[in-house]
Amino acid sequence: MGKIISVCIPKGGVGKTTTAVNLSASLAVAEKKTLLIDADPFGASAIALGFTTNKIKAGISDVFNHTKSIHYAIHNTDLKYLNFIPANINSIKLDEKFAKSSENRLILRNSLKIIRNHYDYIIIDCPPVLSGITNNALNTSDSILVPVKCGHLSLEAVDKLFNYVNWIRDTSNPKISIEGIVFTMYEKNSKVTEISEKELKLKYKQYMLNSVIPSSSLLNEATFYGKPLCLYKIDSIGALAYLDLAYEIISKNEKIN
Ligand code: ATP
Ligand code: MG
């Protein structure tokens, strides 16, 4: 049964979408059957994968409004092992309707029941808030992956997230665990990096993953071409870092030596 991992932290612009998209693509490169779900109404994952509105036949808003079954919302991508469910919430009216329906925190969990057997990993890209769709995502997840932007450390956001996860665990999803914390936009040998690392390790050392994602403008550039970095420049440091992260997660979950 597929492991469901939400990429989540209540802070904007820290690399959640970049991590969700590039980790999913890297898992697919490793021939793991992967489904990426865009749970952010902003729809940035679709842009990063080259899905323009005309290519989207159904999405997460249809699932939440019960207008189409989840099977219709699954799209193929350029990678054989990667499927994608876009957010398709592209009007204020839909956004309001979506916000209302996502108050039922079990919609996503119930919808995924019928498809999770088809996948090794299901990755959910969350918005930077801890309510509505994020509540849905965490109620269906086995674990969360926490991207922390190097140099803009917000211990407060990490604390808030961990408290929220504890509350979800106590009230509705006892199995949820922390997959790990990963540094994004990492700049070696800089003072802010040193300070950020020190502060984070003081409190959360046991959750820190070995893989770190370096700062690389190619990660941004690739989204303009609608491609994950491994399909744009596979030998770049950013692409290799996400392959490393995928390998670390696979090793952790599948006990590879
Ligand atoms: P939001 O909360 O708005 O959804 P987010 O946490 O999903 O934001 P991203 O959209 O992934 O963040 O990244 C924010 C910006 O930083 C984007 O322009 C992205 O291309 C860039 N970025 C992400 N990771 C890196 C990196 N490792 N190096 C350089 N730029 C990066
Ligand atoms: Mg995002």
Side-chain angles (χ1 to χ4, degrees):
M1 193 149 73
K3 177 157 194 187
I4 305 178
I5 306 175
S6 277
V7 181
C8 184
I9 184 166
K11 193 162 171 64
V14 296
K16 291 183 295 299
T17 300
T18 306
T19 297
V21 167
N22 285 283
L23 169 64
S24 300
S26 301
L27 289 166
V29 165
E31 299 192 348
K32 298 294 171 190
K33 284 187 207 145
T34 306
L35 173 67
L36 170 65
I37 300 177
D38 190 355
D40 186 350
F42 186 63
S45 292
I47 299 165
L49 285 178
F51 279 86
T52 43
T53 320
N54 60 324
K55 281 193 192 167
I56 295 173
K57 52 186 169 73
I60 206 77
S61 98
D62 300 289
V63 175
F64 274 71
N65 295 328
H66 305 289
T67 48
K68 278 185 186 137
S69 122
I70 196 160
H71 295 285
Y72 286 98
I74 298 175
H75 293 67
N76 291 327
T77 69
D78 293 341
L79 286 158
K80 184 178 166 195
Y81 288 88
L82 179 63
N83 283 165
F84 176 54
I85 298 185
N88 82 326
I89 300 155
N90 36 26
S91 71
I92 293 169
K93 207 171 151 211
L94 264 183
D95 198 11
E96 280 171 3
K97 211 170 163 196
F98 179 72
K100 187 110 202 79
S101 53
S102 55
E103 280 169 18
N104 175 351
R105 62 183 186 199
L106 296 181
I107 294 189
L108 196 57
R109 191 200 282 187
N110 291 337
S111 310
L112 288 179
K113 262 186 202 153
I114 52 173
I115 57 163
R116 72 181 286 186
N117 276 342
H118 303 312
Y119 296 99
D120 298 308
Y121 292 95
I122 297 176
I123 307 294
I124 307 178
D125 179 23
C126 293
V129 290
L130 295 178
S131 58
I133 182 76
T134 305
N135 192 342
N136 255 275
L138 299 195
N139 267 295
T140 190
S141 290
D142 297 302
S143 68
I144 57 163
L145 176 65
V146 186
V148 169
K149 181 175 172 177
C150 200
H152 286 256
L153 177 59
S154 172
L155 270 180
E156 208 183 300
V158 183
D159 289 343
K160 211 165 143 186
L161 175 65
F162 276 56
N163 286 337
Y164 190 72
V165 171
N166 286 340
W167 175 71
I168 296 264
R169 191 183 293 118
D170 289 346
T171 54
S172 47
N173 182 6
K175 68 176 184 198
I176 193 166
S177 68
I178 309 292
E179 193 66 42
I181 297 175
V182 61
F183 258 132
T184 61
M185 305 184 220
Y186 189 88
E187 286 181 13
K188 244 189 196 168
N189 304 325
S190 92
K191 193 75 193 162
V192 283
T193 302
E194 199 185 302
I195 299 166
S196 313
E197 254 184 319
K198 211 166 150 188
E199 286 210 9
L200 199 61
K201 277 186 180 161
L202 263 180
K203 208 161 173 190
Y204 294 109
K205 191 167 190 280
Q206 76 267 38
Y207 299 114
M208 304 278 305
L209 295 173
N210 295 325
S211 317
V212 292
I213 310 302
S215 185
S216 158
S217 58
L218 284 175
L219 281 160
N220 193 7
E221 195 178 308
T223 60
F224 283 93
Y225 294 92
K227 286 182 189 301
L229 192 50
C230 61
L231 289 182
Y232 183 64
K233 274 196 178 127
I234 182 92
D235 58 348
S236 62
I237 51 160
L240 295 173
Y242 275 111
L243 287 167
D244 274 353
L245 177 63
Y247 184 74
E248 187 172 358
I249 288 176
I250 294 168
S251 312
K252 235 177 109 180
N253 287 288
E254 301 177 23
K255 309 246 178 316
I256 297 171
N257 294 313

